[in-house]
Structure formats: C-alpha cells, structure tokens
Amino acid sequence: MGMVRTVGLVLHPQRDSRKAIDTILGWAAGKDATVLGLPEEVGRIDCSAVPVDADTLVDRSDLLVGLGGDGTMLRTMRLLAGRRTPILGVNVGRLGFLAEIDVSELAETLWAIDGHRYTIEPRMAIRSEVGGADVTAFNDIALVRIPGEGLAGVAVSPAGSDFVRFAADAVIVATSTGSTAYSFSAGGPIVSPRVEAVLVVPSAAHSAFNRALVLPADEEVTLQVLPTSGRLAVEVDGAVVGHLCPGDRITVAAWPGAAQVVRLGTTFYDRARRKLRVNGSAEAY
C-alpha cells in the first residue's frame, strides 16, 4: 500500500495552476486518495479538491504540495513548520529555486513518493518575536531602512557578545536555505542547506567592515536598533511584519529541521548552478 492517502495543496494566489491540479486530482482518483485545499485558493478554481481550514489541511495531509514559485514554497514550509510531513515543491513560477520538479514531472513524482522512492532534505528555520508576535522564516529576517528615514543602524551581538555595528541599507539574518535569496544579492556566501548555520549579512554597508558572519545554529543573535538609526521595517521571508525604532531589539534563534522537503535526485549544487547561472571565470575554460 502506498504512503499517500491525502494530498494537501497550497497554491500561488495568481498563477495558473490548473494543469498541475488536474494532474494531482487524476492521480488521486486512480488510487482513491483525497485532495484538500484552502477554501480561498481552491474556491477560485472549479475543481473537486475538498476545501478545509489551514489546521485541518496540516493535520490530515500525508503530503503537502506547493504549486507556485519560491514564495509559495516558503508559505508551505511555514504552514508545516515543526511537523514531519513531507513537502513537494512544484514550479509554476519563474525562478523556482526551492521547487524540486516542473509540472510535466508531477504524475511520475507522485507515484515515486507513494512508493517511498525519494529522500528528505531537512530545512532549518529561524524564529524571533516582533511586536509581541512570534515569527518564523525559512529564508531570512531582515531589518530594512525605510526610504527617507535614514540608514539602518544595527548592533549585532552573537551569543551575547557585542561584535559589530552596521550602518547599512539592511541587515539580514538568513538560514542556509536563504543564502541564495536576499543574502546572496547582498554579497553573502552560498551555503548548502545541509549546513545548520545562521548568516548575518549587511546590505550596502557604509563601513570598511562589510563582511558576512556565519554563526552556529546553537547561538542566538541579537539585533539592536541604534540611536543613530532611522525607523526600520522588519521583513520575514520578504513580507513586512512590523517596524522597529531606535532602542528596540530582536533576538533570532535557529530552529533545525523545521521542515522536510522532498528530493528525488537533484542536488543543491545542480540547482544553484542552474538557477543562479554560475559559470565561473572565462579564463578557467
């Protein structure tokens, strides 16, 4: 007997997922499996997926499928944070760095997962408290300057030690997963998601020291907004969740193994080379 009796869907809010959804529904009908989805997502598509709330979706699904781009995949991972349920990313977007397959491979992939022919790649998250609310990110938490309100002045204290003060456009705390996202565009290193590490990366730092820090997962890092700073936006995986003023601080902690992502043969290095167009120096060829 296969392992997948119930498939949960998480959809991109705008992109056309019809072909992928029809493939999943056809596969499920052939083995008498159930397909669930969030009401506001499956409700805009005429399909037979059962609408349920987020808690039911998470509780009942044997496999959660994120149909979209990296933003959809991150939202799927946050929904399942802390659970052992496997997550399959299907790229119906542009970059799709976190996705494992394209829509054309979906039916074959579902049979492979049902037959236990896959591996799991654990993904670390980071957590903090912003404005009294707990937040979880799988890419990054960033303190970002607001145009017209001055630079981001931030003191960085890993493991309680006052280490460096940045004046920058942003200070990014990223996971290894997030090393290929905002952190990468700010000049941070590419880090395999198998490495449980926290990166602290300044974006456009106005100082001689503009290097990234790589911290172990068992050390918390505190970011304090300096008196010289403007008001800052707090972005969690790219979405603004609050603001900080001079004197405010947040502490970020790692959450190892917070999500379980399905892999079927591709490697992180294959994806990074292809998606980031890593070619190297012309002189080396």
Side-chain angles (χ1 to χ4, degrees), residues 123-195:
R123 291 296 180 108
M124 190 187 83
I126 49 177
R127 298 187 282 191
S128 188
E129 182 180 307
V130 179
D134 294 331
V135 297
T136 298
F138 279 91
N139 264 356
D140 46 55
I141 297 173
L143 305 191
V144 183
R145 71 180 293 253
I146 299 169
E149 298 198 24
L151 291 173
V154 178
V156 178
S157 301
S161 179
D162 188 6
F163 182 71
V164 66
R165 298 185 175 202
F166 289 119
D169 282 354
V171 176
I172 306 154
V173 181
T175 64
S176 299
T177 296
S179 74
T180 54
Y182 193 1
S183 170
F184 176 76
S185 69
I190 295 176
V191 182
S192 166
R194 294 182 60 191
V195 178

Side-chain angles (χ1 to χ4, degrees), residues 263-279:
R263 293 299 179 206
L264 295 105
T266 66
T267 71
F268 167 74
Y269 308 103
D270 293 335
R271 296 190 301 276
R273 183 178 175 85
R274 184 175 69 254
K275 300 294 186 179
L276 300 178
R277 300 182 181 180
V278 177
N279 294 315

Side-chain angles (χ1 to χ4, degrees), residues 39-91:
E40 63 274 18
E41 295 181 357
V42 298
R44 61 184 171 84
I45 298 171
D46 183 19
C47 69
S48 58
V50 180
V52 296
D53 60 32
D55 289 341
T56 302
L57 182 76
V58 167
D59 288 341
R60 290 183 54 188
S61 296
D62 301 313
L63 171 72
L64 215 58
V65 180
L67 300 172
D70 285 349
T72 304
M73 189 62 173
L74 290 168
R75 185 161 59 92
T76 307
M77 293 161 73
R78 287 195 298 270
L79 276 172
L80 274 177
R83 294 177 178 258
R84 308 301 297 176
T85 309
I87 300 167
L88 174 66
V90 182
N91 182 32

Side-chain angles (χ1 to χ4, degrees), residues 4-9 24 27-28 31 33-37 49-50 57 60-65 110:
V4 181
R5 304 299 300 167
T6 303
V7 178
L9 302 180
I24 293 170
W27 176 85
K31 66 185 302 293
T34 302
V35 179
L36 308 177
V50 180
L57 182 76
R60 290 183 54 188
S61 296
D62 301 313
L63 171 72
L64 215 58
V65 180
L110 289 171

